[in-house]
Amino acid sequence: MEYLLKQLNIVRLKYEMLYENKEHFNIFSVLHKDNDERRLHSRFISSLLAPDSSHGKNNAFLNYFFSIINIEKDDFKNAEVYPKEWDKKENNNIDILIIDRTSKYAIIIENKIYAGDSNNTDGGQLERYFRHVGDHEKIPKKNITTYYLTLDGHEPSNESLGKFKKLENINGHCISYSNEITNWLIKCLRITAETPFLRESIIQYKNLLEKMTGNQTDIKQRLDIKNI
C-alpha cells in the first residue's frame, strides 16, 4: 500500500507541474459567469447549430448534433435556430429552439445548469414551451422533440412537466453537457482546422465544460493511474 501511494503521489506531482505551465485564460469565463445559461451557453450552442451563423459551416454542426441525439436530419433541411446570432432573441423564452416550418418539425432544448425550473400559474416550464410550439408554431405534437439539458443529465421536476406528467409525453429526453454536448463539440472540431478562430473558440468552450462537469483529468493521467 505504501508503494502504491508513493507512485500515485509521483503521478499527482507530475501533472500538477504540467497544469501550472498550462494556459488558463478562457474568454468565456472572462466575459460571463461560467453558469450563465442564457447569455453564454444557450447563445454559443445555438450559434454553432444555426446553418446561417457566421461560422460558415452551413448545416455541418447541426447535422453532427443530430447524429449525437439520433434525429433524422432530412426533417430539418430548412431549419431555423433560436436565439439567432444577430438579434439574440429567444422564441417565446425557449432556451434553444430548432424549427423547420416547411417540414413541420421542431426541437425544444431546455437548458438548466444550476437554476431551477421556471413554473407559474400558466403551467410548468416544459409544458408551456411544448404547447407554444404546437399551438402557435403549428407543429404537430408528434413532430416536437424535447431535450432537457443539464450538467449531468438528470430529469426535470414534475412541476415543469405540468399536466403532461411524464417526459415521454412531450417526446422528451435528458441530455448532458458532460456527454452529448462534449461529444458533439469533439465532432465539430474535426472540420475547423482551417478556421483557427472558430477552432479555438470551440476548444475554449469545451475546456469550460470540462471544468464545470469535473472532467478535467487528462486522459494520459487516467491511464497512468490505471496502470499503477
Side-chain angles (χ1 to χ4, degrees):
M1 177 61 74
E2 184 178 348
Y3 173 79
L4 173 63
L5 293 175
K6 183 179 179 180
Q7 295 302 308
L8 290 173
N9 193 49
I10 291 172
V11 171
R12 179 181 63 80
L13 291 173
K14 170 186 172 183
Y15 284 96
E16 280 182 356
M17 291 175 64
L18 290 172
Y19 182 76
E20 287 175 1
N21 295 321
K22 186 178 179 181
E23 185 177 4
H24 300 293
F25 180 83
N26 189 296
I27 190 64
F28 295 102
S29 295
V30 169
L31 296 177
H32 298 284
K33 292 181 179 179
D34 289 355
N35 62 342
D36 192 326
E37 297 166 354
R38 183 170 66 89
R39 287 183 292 268
L40 195 167
H41 296 279
S42 292
R43 286 181 182 175
F44 186 70
I45 291 172
S46 66
S47 72
L48 292 182
L49 291 172
D52 60 349
S53 169
S54 61
H55 56 59
K57 300 298 181 180
N58 299 314
N59 60 356
F61 294 155
L62 182 62
N63 289 340
Y64 282 147
F65 184 70
F66 290 154
S67 71
I68 290 288
I69 61 174
N70 297 315
I71 288 287
E72 180 54 59
K73 66 179 182 180
D74 288 340
D75 294 335
F76 291 88
K77 290 181 178 179
N78 299 292
E80 287 187 78
V81 181
Y82 297 86
K84 291 183 176 293
E85 181 177 337
W86 313 113
D87 60 18
K88 311 293 190 292
K89 293 180 181 178
E90 293 93 356
N91 184 310
N92 193 52
N93 295 319
I94 297 172
D95 287 329
I96 301 173
L97 177 66
I98 307 169
I99 186 168
D100 189 322
R101 295 184 175 91
T102 303
S103 62
K104 300 293 184 182
Y105 278 85
I107 294 173
I108 297 167
I109 301 176
E110 176 56 22
N111 183 15
K112 292 294 181 188
I113 295 179
Y114 298 127
D117 295 318
S118 176
N119 309 312
N120 56 41
T121 54
D122 293 329
Q125 191 170 19
L126 289 174
E127 175 187 12
R128 298 196 312 272
Y129 296 163
F130 189 81
R131 292 191 186 282
H132 167 79
V133 174
D135 296 342
H136 295 278
E137 293 290 353
K138 308 302 181 185
I139 306 296
K141 289 182 170 55
K142 65 183 178 66
N143 292 348
I144 306 170
T145 309
T146 307
Y147 289 93
Y148 192 69
L149 171 61
T150 60
L151 290 176
D152 59 0
H154 68 262
E155 294 199 358
S157 66
N158 292 333
E159 290 78 9
S160 182
L161 293 166
K163 294 181 179 179
F164 291 108
K165 296 183 179 179
K166 295 181 180 180
L167 198 55
E168 62 193 49
N169 292 334
I170 55 172
N171 309 318
H173 308 272
C174 294
I175 57 175
S176 70
Y177 281 99
S178 61
N179 187 6
E180 285 84 358
I181 297 300
T182 296
N183 289 332
W184 169 58
L185 294 173
I186 292 171
K187 283 196 170 192
C188 292
L189 284 170
R190 295 175 183 173
I191 58 170
T192 60
E194 297 180 356
T195 48
F197 289 170
L198 176 61
R199 182 186 67 240
E200 292 305 315
S201 296
I202 295 175
I203 288 173
Q204 287 219 329
Y205 184 64
K206 178 175 169 290
N207 289 342
L208 174 64
L209 295 188
E210 289 173 351
K211 172 187 171 184
M212 295 177 64
T213 58
N215 194 27
Q216 285 183 298
T217 307
D218 187 275
I219 293 294
K220 290 181 179 179
Q221 183 179 359
R222 295 181 210 172
L223 291 173
D224 284 348
I225 292 171
K226 179 182 178 182
N227 290 334
I228 290 172

